[in-house]
Amino acid sequence: MGGAGVTPGFPFSAVVGQDDVKLALLLNAVDPRIGGVLLRGQKGSAKSTLARGLAALLPGEAPFVDLPVGATEDRVVGTIDIEAALTEGRRRFHPGLLAAADGGVLYVDEVNLLPDHLVDVLLDVAASGVNRVEREGVSEAHPARFVLAGSMNPEEGELRPQLLDRFGLAVDVAANADPAERAEAVRRRLAHDADPAAFAREWADSEAGLRERLAAARPAALPGPLLEAVSRLCAAAGAEGLRADLVICRAAAALAGWDDRGAATASDVRRVAPLALAHRRRRDPFEAPGMDRDQLEDALDEALGDPPPPPPDGGDAGGSEGSDDSDGTEPRHAAGDRGPAAPDAPTRVIGIHAGRQPTGEAPSGRRSPTLGRRGRLVGDRVPDGPATGVALGATTRAAAARRATAPAPAGGPPGPAGLGPAGLGMVTAEDLREPVREQLAGNLVVLAVDASGSMGVERRMEAVKGAVLSLLLDAYQRRDRVCLVTFRGEDAEVALRPTGSVEVARHRLGELPTGGRTPLAAGIRTALQVATTNSGPHRPLVVLVSDGRATAAPGGADPVAAALDAAAEVRRRGVPALVVDVEDGSPRLGLAPELARRMGARCVSLPELSAGALGHALRGMVGG
C-alpha cells in the first residue's frame, strides 16, 4: 500500500511459517474486540514484518503506527492543540497516535518496557474501539478501532500478570529451526531487498486473495452449547475471571467467519484456545510459558468431546500462506529447560522497598505512587526554581488567559480576537507550568556477595541464588529489578546485571565461580556504583552478604581499612543498605556490625543461612 515512490513492504503472505502469529493477527483484524496480540520471543523472527504486512491487507490506505517506547501520554492519547490555543485562544483537541491508528494496526515493540499506565490505555482502547480524553480542559471521544500488536523479549522482563491477562491472544515466537525453511526465509528476504517492486508483484495474487477474504470476513454465530463448552474448558484450565471465555468465544467466531462458515464449531475452539489460555496460566514466573500439551488436550476433550479427524490434506485451519504441519494445540516452540534451579526452593518475598525503616509488608503486586519526571500526568504546577519540564497545555492556557486580560500598551496594535493586545509575547516566564507526573516506584536491589574461599561459601552462594530468584518472583508482580555483584580474588564483578527477568537470572546463576581472597572494598564499591548509575526511576538498595573479613585491597592498601572507607562512602551517597552477617564458627570476630555502622545500615545475623532466611531478612526493608 502507499503512493508513488514508496518502497513496497514485505508481503504478509510471503513470510515463511509463523502460522500462529499469522492466525492471531488475522483473527484480530476480523474482530478487534478480541483485544490484541502479544508476541513473545526472539528478535528477528518476523514479528514486526507480519504486523506491518497485516496493515497492507486491511481495507483502504490502512495506517500502520509504530508506537515508540519513549512516547508520552500526550503523544499517545492526544492533548490540547498548542497552535490553536496560542493563536486563536481556543481549546481544541490535537489527536494522538491512537487516532492515527484508527482503521489500521498499532504496533508496540518492547511493550513490556512501556509504562504500565500507557499499556492500560492501549488495552482499554483496543477493546472498546473508542478513545476518551478528559484532560487539560479538553473533553473528547473519537473512534480508535485498530489491531493492537505488542512484541517483547522475555529476557528484558515480563509484563505484570494484570496486563498480561488483558491481551486477547499471545504467541510464543521463535525463528524456525528447520534448515530448509530457514533457507527459504532468507532467500525471500534477499529477493525482496534486491528488488522490492518485483517481489511485491510476485506475491500480488496471494496478497489480493488474503485482502479480499479479510474484507468479506465477519464473525460467525456462536451456538449456545459451544459457549457452555468454552466455559467448562476455561474452568478446567484454571483461567481466572471471564476474559479467557470471552476471548475464546470471539476468536472462534472470527475463525469461522475467516473460513466463510456460518457458525463456530468445536474445531475452531480447539484451534484458538491455546492462544487465549497459555499466557493466562502463567501466574508465577517460575512456571514455563505455555501449557502442558497433555493437560490442554485433556481439558479440551473433557469440554468438547473427542477431537475430529484431521483434514485429508493436513491443512491448517488458519489458511495462511507458508503454513506447516502444526496442529496449533500449543506454541510450536514451547519453552524447555530454563537452566538449573536454585537449590533452595524460591519463596515469595513481599515488600522489597529501598528504605531504612521497617514498616511492615506491602500488598503483593502493589507499589506506592510517587511523583517524578516520568509516569502518568496528574496535574501541573508553577515551577519552584528551574522547570523540570513544560506542561504544554497548562502553559498555553496560562498564556492565552494573560493575553486576553492584559491592558494594551500605549499606541500598540490590537491582537487577535479574544487574545488581547499584540506585543505582549506569546509565552512568558510567568506563564510557564511544569507537569506533575505520578508513577509506581519500584526498587533496584543490588546484592553484593562474598564469593571468596572463606568458610561456608558454598552454602552462602546456594542461599543467594535462591534469594535472587525469590526477589524476582516479587519483581514479576512489580517493576523491581535485581542485580548480583560477587567479589573474589582481587576484584568484584557484576554477575547479574539489573534485571526483572527470571529467564536471564536462571541462566546467569547456573554456575558462579568461588574461591580466592576477599576483596571486600571492591565488592562494596562495585555494588554502590551499580546502585547509583543504573537505578533510573528505581530506588536503590544495597545488600551486602559477608562475614566482614577482608584480605585483599587495591594498591597494597590495608584491606580492612579500605572496606570501612567503602562502607562509609555508601552512607555519604545516601544509599539505603542492609548487611547480612554470615559469620560462623568460633571465635566470632564481629566485623560485619562495624561495616553496617559505617554504612548507616541495618545488620542481621543469619547463622542458618538459606534462601528463606535471607528472603525473610530482606522482607523487612520497607518504607523510605
Side-chain angles (χ1 to χ4, degrees), residues 52 68 70 108 159 174 214 266 366 377 504 558:
R52 190 179 297 273
V108 188
L159 275 172
L214 189 58
R366 300 287 182 180
L377 182 67
V504 170
D558 178 77

Side-chain angles (χ1 to χ4, degrees), residues 1-15:
M1 306 295 290
V6 177
T7 301
F10 196 90
F12 185 92
S13 55
V15 175

Side-chain angles (χ1 to χ4, degrees), residues 173-510:
V173 188
N176 202 310
D178 180 77
E181 290 199 10
R182 291 175 69 95
E184 179 61 22
V186 172
R187 188 176 298 112
R188 293 182 186 181
R189 170 52 69 177
L190 292 175
H192 173 268
D193 293 348
D195 192 341
F199 191 80
R201 288 193 296 271
E202 179 183 349
W203 289 89
D205 289 344
S206 296
E207 291 288 279
L210 284 177
R211 191 176 298 112
E212 292 174 4
R213 184 176 174 184
L214 189 58
R218 298 292 183 274
L222 188 79
L226 187 61
L227 186 153
E228 295 172 1
V230 169
S231 294
R232 290 195 299 271
L233 168 65
C234 294
E240 296 180 350
L242 296 178
R243 277 204 181 97
D245 307 56
L246 289 168
V247 168
I248 292 176
C249 288
R250 285 172 174 156
L255 177 55
W258 172 248
D259 286 339
D260 197 23
R261 289 182 277 110
T265 66
S267 295
D268 298 318
V269 173
R270 286 182 177 275
R271 182 68 180 92
V272 302
L275 307 179
L277 288 175
H279 61 299
R280 292 183 168 87
R281 288 270 302 172
R282 197 186 189 201
R283 303 185 191 98
D284 186 320
F286 296 100
E287 297 174 356
M291 294 184 67
D292 178 77
R293 183 188 182 109
D294 293 336
Q295 181 185 5
L296 178 58
E297 289 291 348
D298 290 344
L300 286 167
D301 292 345
E302 181 179 349
L304 304 172
D306 294 333
D313 61 354
D316 180 79
S320 56
E321 293 285 334
S323 63
D324 61 10
D325 295 329
S326 170
D327 61 5
T329 54
E330 66 175 4
R332 296 203 340 250
H333 299 275
D337 182 17
R338 295 287 178 179
D344 288 322
T347 56
R348 185 178 295 280
V349 179
I350 303 299
I352 306 302
H353 289 257
R356 294 188 176 90
Q357 302 301 323
T359 59
E361 295 185 358
S364 175
R366 300 287 182 180
R367 278 282 183 253
S368 298
T370 60
L371 300 181
R373 297 188 180 185
R374 301 181 61 186
R376 182 171 60 92
L377 182 67
V378 296
D380 58 81
R381 62 191 173 198
V382 177
D384 182 14
T388 59
V390 178
L392 294 178
T395 298
T396 52
R397 288 200 309 273
R402 173 183 56 79
R403 288 164 57 88
T405 58
L419 288 179
L424 294 178
M426 298 297 289
V427 177
T428 67
E430 67 183 89
D431 303 324
L432 192 61
R433 302 292 185 269
E434 64 181 7
V436 177
R437 299 187 181 275
E438 183 181 86
Q439 63 183 353
L440 298 180
N443 302 302
L444 171 62
V445 182
V446 183
L447 289 101
V449 182
D450 179 1
S452 69
S454 58
M455 185 179 297
V457 62
E458 291 185 5
R459 184 178 63 181
R460 184 162 62 246
M461 299 308 293
E462 301 287 338
V464 166
K465 292 176 186 179
V468 167
L469 294 180
S470 294
L471 288 170
L472 287 173
L473 177 62
D474 189 51
Y476 179 66
Q477 300 282 343
R478 315 181 184 206
R479 285 293 187 184
D480 286 349
R481 293 290 181 266
V482 180
C483 171
L484 176 63
V485 172
T486 61
F487 50 95
R488 58 185 287 272
E490 301 297 326
D491 207 351
E493 67 171 344
V494 180
L496 176 67
R497 295 192 177 278
T499 183
S501 170
V502 173
E503 283 85 352
V504 170
R506 280 185 179 272
H507 287 295
R508 295 293 296 167
L509 298 178

Side-chain angles (χ1 to χ4, degrees), residues 587-616:
R588 293 179 61 84
L589 302 180
L591 299 175
E594 175 60 18
L595 274 175
R597 188 184 69 80
R598 292 292 186 99
M599 282 186 177
R602 290 178 57 203
C603 183
V604 295
S605 179
L606 295 177
E608 297 297 330
L609 186 63
S610 67
L614 182 55
H616 180 74

